């Protein structure tokens, strides 16, 4: 994997040559990938880990500064216990196996989601990986586990309400910037590009607040088959978009 040093630019700063600063990915289709091969669903998840590795390497190579991967949603707890158990075990093993190399490549790892819902063993590994890579200055890799966009917003509301109750801030102090700062991806720019594999064109409770102005790219390819070619297709799509944020096309063109 390439060592990269991508400073997170300010919101107004444009990245060169149409590369999105922050890419978010809904990694969907592991189960169907396995089913097509008459394999158990967990074989699809296992194969999905290789796609994660490829994607992290390629995103870094392309100069993406922040990559946020949806690994397990707040609703995925509803799956059969056996599948959930195997997924948690897989996260633990992948973390154990990959963290050295991620660290060597200057990647900063962050987990977002309801940590208290995870088992102690996994949580300890997550805490250790975050602490170990916290001073790294390359790609910021956020893994969303037990994450839901609604959960995130409710947590932020709870935190801000607590601050008001403690007279740390007033109600009038709550604006969009303060709200965003109370969310799990605090301090990072919103995703410029959202990729979803697996053919579904929905958000499935991912980053509800942050995707307000993201460009959305969907592909039929199942997650274990996702690789650099598909990533580059998504980047090429992104490079063709005119981001207007409510302005007219002429206004943006003249800027
Ligand atoms: C995505 O693949 C991985 C997780 C949600 C954990 P799926 O497991 O949802 O795969 P499909 O959608 O059933 O094919
Ligand atoms: C979204 O995929 C969550 C992850 C990829 C982690 P799902 O497979 O859970 O989404 P739905 O249920 O089809 O909307
Ligand atoms: Mg799915």
């Amino acid at each position: 994997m390439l060592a990269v040093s991508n400073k997170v630019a300010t919101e107004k700063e444009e990245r060169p040559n149409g590369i999105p600063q922050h890419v978010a990915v809904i990694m969907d289709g592991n189960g169907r990938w396995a089913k097509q091969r008459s394999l158990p669903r967990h074989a699809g998840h296992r194969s999905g880990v290789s796609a994660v590795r490829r994607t992290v390497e390629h995103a870094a190579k392309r100069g993406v500064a922040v990559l946020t991967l949806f690994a397990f949603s707040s609703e995925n707890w509803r799956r059969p216990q056996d599948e959930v158990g195997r997924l948690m075990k897989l996260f633990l093993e992948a973390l154990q196996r990959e963290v050295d190399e991620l660290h060597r490549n200057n990647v900063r790892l962050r987990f977002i989601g309801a940590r208290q819902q995870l088992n102690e063993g996994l949580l300890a590994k997550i805490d250790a990986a975050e602490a170990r890579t916290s001073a790294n200055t390359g790609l910021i890799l956020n893994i969303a586990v037990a994450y839901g966009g609604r959960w995130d917003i409710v947590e932020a509301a709870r935190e801000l309400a607590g601050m008001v109750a403690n007279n740390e801030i007033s109600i009038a102090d709550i604006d969009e910037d303060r709200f965003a700062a109370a969310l799990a991806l605090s301090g990072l720019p919103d995703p410029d590009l959202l990729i979803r594999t697996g053919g579904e064109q929905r958000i499935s409770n991912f980053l509800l607040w942050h995707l307000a102005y993201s460009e959305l790219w969907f592909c039929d390819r199942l997650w274990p088959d996702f690789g650099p070619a598909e990533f580059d297709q998504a980047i090429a799509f992104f490079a063709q978009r005119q981001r207007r944020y409510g302005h007219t096309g002429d206004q943006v063109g003249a800027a």
Side-chain angles (χ1 to χ4, degrees):
M1 199 176 123
L2 293 180
V4 284
S5 179
N6 295 316
K7 203 164 65 52
V8 176
T10 60
E11 209 181 314
K12 298 271 181 301
E13 225 175 302
E14 285 295 319
R15 289 188 74 70
N17 53 26
I19 297 294
Q21 186 179 16
H22 183 173
V23 178
V25 187
I26 301 176
M27 310 183 288
D28 195 24
N30 295 350
R32 280 164 285 163
W33 183 93
K35 197 167 184 184
Q36 285 174 357
R37 288 161 179 76
S38 306
L39 295 169
R41 290 180 61 84
H42 62 84
H45 296 315
R46 191 165 292 280
S47 182
V49 176
S50 307
V52 169
R53 195 171 216 282
R54 286 197 296 273
T55 302
V56 171
E57 287 179 12
H58 195 66
K61 187 172 158 189
R62 286 285 178 260
V64 168
V66 186
L67 182 65
T68 301
L69 304 177
F70 203 9
F72 189 88
S73 76
S74 41
E75 289 69 36
N76 288 147
W77 292 115
R78 298 171 183 161
R79 293 190 176 195
Q81 224 183 333
D82 175 66
E83 180 171 347
V84 171
R86 283 175 184 272
L87 272 166
M88 293 301 146
K89 193 160 165 274
L90 192 62
F91 294 150
L92 185 82
E93 288 166 2
L95 199 54
Q96 250 160 348
R97 210 176 40 239
E98 305 291 342
V99 77
D100 281 348
E101 202 192 338
L102 291 169
H103 185 49
R104 256 200 313 279
N105 285 291
N106 202 21
V107 173
R108 179 172 176 184
L109 203 55
R110 271 170 58 160
F111 283 80
I112 57 170
R115 288 169 183 255
Q116 71 281 5
Q117 295 175 2
L118 303 176
N119 70 56
E120 274 179 32
L122 180 57
L123 199 51
K125 286 272 177 285
I126 285 176
D127 288 342
E130 286 183 334
R132 183 151 170 232
T133 62
S134 65
N136 289 347
T137 55
L139 178 76
I140 295 174
L141 176 59
N142 303 303
I143 311 278
V145 178
Y147 178 87
R150 289 182 174 177
W151 164 85
D152 200 357
I153 290 168
V154 169
E155 285 297 302
R158 214 193 285 267
E159 183 184 320
L160 294 169
M163 291 171 83
V164 170
N166 293 333
N167 292 316
E168 291 165 40
I169 57 169
S170 70
I171 289 175
D173 290 331
I174 300 176
D175 57 12
E176 290 188 13
D177 285 345
R178 198 177 277 274
F179 203 97
L183 293 164
L185 286 181
S186 162
L188 296 175
D190 287 340
D192 302 291
L193 171 65
L194 172 79
I195 294 172
R196 181 172 186 147
T197 62
E200 309 295 352
Q201 304 198 353
R202 57 180 175 244
I203 301 300
S204 299
N205 197 20
F206 196 22
L207 302 161
L208 296 181
W209 171 281
H210 313 79
L211 294 174
Y213 270 104
S214 306
E215 302 299 332
L216 310 178
W217 190 79
F218 300 100
C219 74
D220 289 336
R221 188 64 54 116
L222 303 172
W223 177 250
D225 291 329
F226 187 84
E230 289 73 27
F231 194 91
D232 285 345
Q233 275 177 33
I235 301 274
F237 160 86
F238 176 78
Q240 296 304 312
R241 307 273 66 77
Q242 183 191 48
R243 307 187 77 190
R244 292 191 284 275
Y245 298 101
H247 292 107
T248 67
D250 287 347
Q251 281 177 303
V252 176

